[in-house]
Amino acid sequence: ETLKREQVDDDNKKEYCAVQFDSADDTKKALERKIAGHENAIATAKEAVETLTEEIAALTAGIKALDKEVAEATEQRKEENAEYKDLIA
């Protein structure tokens, strides 16, 4: 009688443990998928940051070149204006 009861208890505990292991395994797999998704999102974001950094550098260089051209054009206009004033005077 006692052995049968202990066997039933053991069987119930074994079934409970099996259910808990399955549940833990399912949770683990779900978390692994979630981590993989986050890792992909991080990789995509890093690529976007790199691309934007390159674009910012290119735009900054373009702005510097335009500033230089504007300064040169301004200087040229000043020289031409001085020549014109000398010619008129």
Side-chain angles (χ1 to χ4, degrees):
E1 183 69 30
T2 302
L3 288 177
K4 286 183 181 180
R5 194 172 6 156
E6 287 178 357
Q7 185 62 46
V8 169
D9 286 346
D10 287 347
D11 290 344
N12 288 339
K13 288 177 185 175
K14 182 179 179 184
E15 183 179 338
Y16 172 80
C17 288
V19 169
Q20 293 301 313
F21 277 130
D22 286 345
S23 175
D25 191 48
D26 291 345
T27 302
K28 178 185 173 194
K29 288 178 183 175
L31 289 173
E32 287 173 344
R33 282 192 299 274
K34 198 172 190 179
I35 288 170
H38 290 320
E39 287 173 345
N40 288 338
I42 289 169
T44 301
K46 283 182 178 179
E47 289 176 11
V49 167
E50 289 175 10
T51 300
L52 290 172
T53 301
E54 291 171 3
E55 289 176 2
I56 289 170
L59 289 171
T60 301
I63 290 170
K64 287 181 181 177
L66 283 175
D67 285 346
K68 182 180 178 186
E69 289 176 17
V70 167
E72 290 172 355
T74 300
E75 186 61 34
Q76 181 181 354
R77 281 193 299 277
K78 286 180 181 178
E79 291 172 3
E80 289 172 355
N81 187 32
E83 290 174 9
Y84 174 75
K85 285 182 179 178
D86 287 343
L87 184 65
I88 296 295

